[in-house]
Amino acid sequence: ETGVTQTPRHLVMGMTNKKSLKCEQHLGHNAMYWYKQSAKKPLELMFVYNFKEQTENNSVPSRFSPECPNSSHLFLHLHTLQPEDSALYLCASSRTTGSSYEQYFGPGTRLTVT
Amino acid sequence: SQQGEEDPQALSIQEGENATMNCSYKTSINNLQWYRQNSGRGLVHLILIRSNEREKHSGRLRVTLDTSKKSSSLLITASRAADTASYFCATDAKSERANNNDMRFGAGTRLTVKP
């Protein structure tokens, strides 16, 4: 257990569905991240929040919509996804942003878009 | 954009042997981190090495950093079957918006340790 939880662990959705991924951290961290991990590709940073403010949007399509209501919770709202969006979505947190701090990862949500 | 790039992509060794994985990067960095990931799970932080450090140890792990060659290596000594996992390096990549040196990960090295 890393102190970062993600729900659901597995999700299958059609291209017209709307769903949300949830991440919660119990570490008192101020920064939270969404990553996408596809087979045999580098881990892709999607969004970064620090003190609830979005500090990075790595050219992510608008069908992915993040929400950070407080420093402990992070959501990823999904709508009209494409099959190529199928991947493992990882949430992470750290004390604050920057490379001096290690990131703590959740177990991920395995998303399949049909 | 990707910053670190691991080599080799896959490595298979026998239990008890040493495993060496390499990471190369393109731009100057402040810090470099190594992570481990068991199949289908989240990443776990292993070690952080700063740009002014050349070597760090943690248990059976030894990390080196050569800033002149823009490369790092992770050595796992006396490997065990439980070391089977993917290993990633992560380095700074300057973020234009926040001026934070957020990290970027490579594609990883898949290590298999045979019992």
Side-chain angles (χ1 to χ4, degrees):
Chain A
E1 281 294 327
T2 62
V4 180
T5 58
Q6 290 187 243
T7 54
R9 294 294 308 278
H10 300 273
L11 179 62
V12 179
M13 59 186 288
M15 289 190 283
T16 58
N17 290 160
K18 286 185 180 181
K19 296 286 184 184
S20 295
L21 310 184
K22 179 183 176 182
C23 176
E24 184 174 358
Q25 56 96 0
H26 310 274
L27 302 168
H29 289 165
N30 295 305
M32 297 188 78
Y33 311 79
W34 278 118
Y35 289 90
K36 175 184 178 182
Q37 188 176 36
S38 305
K40 297 183 179 178
K41 292 175 76 173
L43 203 61
E44 297 174 52
L45 178 64
M46 300 175 71
F47 301 104
V48 181
Y49 280 81
N50 200 28
F51 294 92
K52 301 189 300 177
E53 298 297 320
Q54 188 180 119
T55 59
E56 181 85 27
N57 177 338
N58 198 23
S59 302
V60 180
S62 59
R63 58 185 184 270
F64 295 91
S65 174
E67 179 190 0
C68 188
N70 55 62
S71 292
S72 299
H73 293 86
L74 185 64
F75 296 89
L76 189 62
H77 304 299
L78 315 171
H79 63 99
T80 59
L81 294 191
Q82 305 298 311
E84 59 264 28
D85 297 322
S86 297
L88 182 67
Y89 288 84
L90 292 164
C91 173
S93 71
S94 61
R95 188 184 298 180
T96 185
T97 53
S99 62
S100 298
Y101 302 99
E102 64 182 90
Q103 294 186 14
Y104 292 76
F105 284 78
T109 294
R110 173 68 63 185
L111 174 67
T112 303
V113 181
T114 60
Chain B
S1 60
Q2 183 183 355
Q3 168 72 313
E5 197 168 308
E6 293 89 348
D7 168 62
Q9 288 187 353
L11 180 62
S12 181
I13 59 174
Q14 292 294 135
E15 207 165 27
E17 293 179 341
N18 295 342
T20 300
M21 289 158 275
N22 302 296
C23 171
S24 59
Y25 55 91
K26 297 183 176 66
T27 63
S28 297
I29 62 169
N30 294 310
N31 303 288
L32 185 145
Q33 300 186 27
W34 283 93
Y35 287 78
R36 165 200 167 114
Q37 182 183 33
N38 286 1
S39 183
R41 304 299 300 270
L43 281 70
V44 176
H45 180 263
L46 294 176
I47 205 162
L48 181 154
I49 187 165
R50 304 190 190 285
S51 60
N52 61 354
E53 296 176 310
R54 291 296 164 258
E55 190 169 310
K56 279 189 89 167
H57 297 255
S58 177
R60 292 184 296 112
L61 305 182
R62 174 178 164 242
V63 168
T64 62
L65 179 64
D66 187 337
T67 52
S68 66
K69 294 181 179 177
K70 292 188 169 58
S71 68
S72 173
S73 66
L74 170 67
L75 168 68
I76 304 175
T77 59
S79 64
R80 305 167 183 167
D83 294 328
T84 294
S86 292
Y87 292 84
F88 298 83
C89 69
T91 56
D92 307 76
K94 204 142 181 87
S95 170
E96 293 176 359
R97 276 185 62 181
N99 204 36
N100 287 324
N101 290 338
D102 289 325
M103 294 193 302
R104 296 294 189 270
F105 289 77
T109 292
R110 176 69 191 166
L111 173 66
T112 302
V113 182
K114 300 174 188 174

